[in-house]
């Protein structure tokens, strides 16, 4: 599967997150869905590998994307894991790959046409927003980038808010600096 995504820091915190959410509600006519997520990241030789724990099930997610600010192509695979199998899967992956770290967040998901808008409150990091433009088979990366840029503008996201790395990278950078 492919998508074009961006990630931005919401420097205005919860107030800015609420503003983005309100704009999404106006665009879709629907409330967002609140999702609790706990992602365990594993060491791997290329891309990223994580096991996500949700309330009803788990997901094993592998993905490749460049670390750059602004719209970027991401290719990914998601495998559903039933909760009775989650802990054994976590133990097997931990033993085989080693745990890199964990990310806990409360996510509000809005579906704006073909774009998943995530408003994330990440434990230890603060508020962020992600756009994932899910590409149809016939769509080019450029088309996805144009959709992402237009939605960024609609949501009031500026270029200087964009970040290039995953939450796990930000958490590890923060740990290296020794800050809480």
């Amino acid at each position: 599967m492919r998508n074009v995504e961006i990630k931005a820091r919401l420097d205005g915190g919860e107030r800015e997150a609420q503003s983005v959410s309100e704009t999404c509600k106006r665009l879709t006519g629907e409330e967002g869905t609140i999702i609790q997520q706990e992602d365990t990241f594993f060491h791997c030789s290329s891309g990223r590998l994580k096991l996500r724990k949700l309330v009803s099930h788990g997901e094993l997610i592998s993905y490749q994307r460049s670390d750059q600010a602004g719209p970027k192509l991401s290719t990914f695979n998601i495998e559903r894991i039933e909760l009775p199998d989650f802990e054994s899967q976590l133990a097997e992956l931990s033993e085989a790959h080693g745990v890199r770290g964990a990310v806990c967040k409360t996510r509000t998901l809005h579906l704006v046409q073909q774009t998943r808008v995530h408003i994330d409150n990440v434990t230890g990091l603060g508020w962020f927003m992600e756009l994932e433009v899910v590409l149809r088979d016939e769509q080019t990366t450029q088309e996805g980038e144009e959709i992402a840029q237009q939605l960024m503008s609609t949501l009031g996201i500026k270029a200087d808010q964009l970040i290039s790395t995953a939450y796990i990278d930000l958490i590890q950078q923060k740990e290296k600096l020794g800050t809480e």
Side-chain angles (χ1 to χ4, degrees):
M1 298 171 67
R2 302 176 307 139
N3 67 28
V4 169
E5 60 184 69
I6 67 105
K7 187 178 309 233
R9 182 179 300 277
L10 298 179
D11 295 320
E14 187 173 3
R15 181 179 37 80
E16 187 176 6
Q18 289 173 341
S19 175
V20 170
S21 190
E22 287 298 323
T23 302
C24 288
K25 289 177 197 175
R26 283 195 305 275
L27 292 171
T28 64
E30 298 180 5
E31 297 286 328
T33 302
I34 297 174
I35 306 166
Q36 298 294 325
Q37 297 180 339
E38 182 179 332
D39 294 342
T40 302
F41 283 79
F42 302 95
H43 296 285
C44 61
S45 58
S46 73
R48 292 185 175 92
L49 178 65
K50 64 184 174 185
L51 187 61
R52 172 170 287 161
K53 187 172 188 179
L54 301 160
V55 172
S56 62
H57 65 281
E59 295 173 335
L60 180 61
I61 303 169
S62 61
Y63 63 102
Q64 299 269 345
R65 75 159 186 252
S66 62
D67 285 339
Q68 67 183 46
K72 55 195 151 277
L73 179 66
S74 175
T75 57
F76 60 95
N77 291 299
I78 300 175
E79 180 183 335
R80 184 182 174 99
I81 307 292
E82 297 305 325
L83 284 183
D85 302 322
F86 185 85
E87 292 302 324
S88 64
Q89 185 77 278
L90 177 61
E92 288 175 26
L93 288 166
S94 298
E95 186 173 323
H97 296 279
V99 173
R100 183 172 170 207
V103 175
C104 296
K105 61 185 171 283
T106 301
R107 169 169 284 174
T108 303
L109 168 65
H110 294 275
L111 298 176
V112 179
Q113 296 175 0
Q114 74 187 81
T115 304
R116 297 170 56 90
V117 179
H118 303 155
I119 302 167
D120 294 335
N121 186 3
V122 183
T123 302
L125 293 178
W127 290 92
F128 296 83
M129 191 264 334
E130 293 180 338
L131 300 180
E132 293 180 350
V133 181
V134 180
L135 296 175
R136 295 186 296 270
D137 290 341
E138 72 277 4
Q139 282 185 300
T140 66
T141 302
Q142 182 178 346
E143 288 174 289
E145 290 173 356
E146 290 168 2
I147 293 167
Q149 292 284 2
Q150 183 177 16
L151 192 51
M152 277 176 52
S153 176
T154 300
L155 296 173
I157 302 301
K158 310 276 188 284
D160 64 355
Q161 292 177 267
L162 299 178
I163 60 173
S164 60
T165 59
Y167 297 140
I168 188 66
D169 300 323
L170 294 174
I171 288 170
Q172 291 184 327
Q173 288 169 7
K174 189 174 179 181
E175 289 171 352
K176 283 183 182 176
L177 296 173
T179 59
E180 290 285 321

